[in-house]
Amino acid sequence: MIINNEKIAKALEYIKSEDENTTQETLTMCQIPAPSHQEKKKAEYVLEKFKEIGLLNVHMDAVCNVLGTWPGDGDGPVIMLAAHTDTVFPIDTDVTVKKEGNRYYCPGINDDTHAAAEIMAVAKAMVRYDIHAHGDITVSYTHLRAHETRHDLV
């Protein structure tokens, strides 16, 4: 069973131990305004994070999709972990994070910003513990939600 694999078990523990850092990453990204078609600043932030993590072939295309690859062993299909960078509120929306009790509030926090931070945590764990699938894993932050992007992803 995959859970019995020592590298996988260590990676899962690492992801749990990084929970506070993942939350902080979410809060940081929430404060970067990124309305649809105005995501460049957030995309540039993610681009640098992908490079820091150690993903390969990290690049941003002309429409601000950010992609990076973690290589597989060449014996399987490509898998994509994807989130979108855009949000649906205007550029001048107050994106200050507010905390009430144990909850954070900010426009866009669950409109994929948290998923984006979680995907980064998974990528960090794969790199840290040298975990490779059979196929390459492409980590992607697209400039629009998936149903709007199907013709744009490079």
Side-chain angles (χ1 to χ4, degrees), residues 2-15 70 125-132:
I2 196 166
I3 196 71
N4 294 329
N5 179 296
E6 186 176 337
K7 283 184 177 182
I8 300 291
K10 285 181 179 179
L12 290 172
E13 283 302 314
Y14 174 76
I15 291 168
W70 188 239
M126 289 187 307
V127 172
R128 181 181 183 107
Y129 292 99
D130 199 31
I131 296 170
H132 299 271

Side-chain angles (χ1 to χ4, degrees), residues 7 19 22 33-34 42 51 61 64 77 88 95 102 113-114 120 127 140 148:
K7 283 184 177 182
D19 190 54
T22 301
K42 188 179 275 186
K51 290 177 182 178
D61 67 17
C64 297
V88 295
V95 291
N102 290 329
T113 304
H114 187 67
M120 275 194 229
V127 172
S140 166
E148 299 169 323

Side-chain angles (χ1 to χ4, degrees), residues 15-150:
I15 291 168
K16 287 181 198 174
S17 75
E18 284 289 298
D19 190 54
E20 184 57 35
N21 290 333
T22 301
T23 297
Q24 290 307 310
E25 191 66 65
T26 300
L27 301 177
T28 297
M29 287 193 291
C30 276
Q31 295 178 83
I32 304 171
S36 296
H37 306 290
Q38 298 178 55
E39 306 93 334
K40 187 173 184 181
K41 187 174 178 183
K42 188 179 275 186
E44 289 171 339
Y45 177 86
V46 169
L47 181 80
E48 291 309 311
K49 287 295 180 177
F50 277 15
K51 290 177 182 178
E52 287 174 22
I53 289 168
L55 294 174
L56 306 178
N57 305 316
V58 175
H59 64 283
M60 180 169 57
D61 67 17
V63 293
C64 297
N65 294 313
V66 180
L67 298 105
T69 302
W70 188 239
D73 67 15
D75 194 31
V78 173
I79 297 169
M80 180 175 279
L81 302 177
H84 64 85
T85 55
D86 75 317
T87 52
V88 295
F89 45 84
I91 192 80
D92 59 351
T93 300
D94 180 6
V95 291
T96 304
V97 174
K98 295 166 184 70
K99 186 176 182 182
E100 294 177 20
N102 290 329
R103 290 186 180 223
Y104 293 97
Y105 296 89
C106 181
I109 199 163
N110 275 330
D111 185 13
D112 238 20
T113 304
H114 187 67
E118 291 289 352
I119 289 171
M120 275 194 229
V122 170
K124 282 192 234 179
M126 289 187 307
V127 172
R128 181 181 183 107
Y129 292 99
D130 199 31
I131 296 170
H132 299 271
H134 289 299
D136 291 351
I137 296 177
T138 298
V139 182
S140 166
Y141 291 119
T142 61
H143 75 292
L144 295 169
R145 292 167 296 284
H147 68 279
E148 299 169 323
T149 309
R150 64 183 167 265

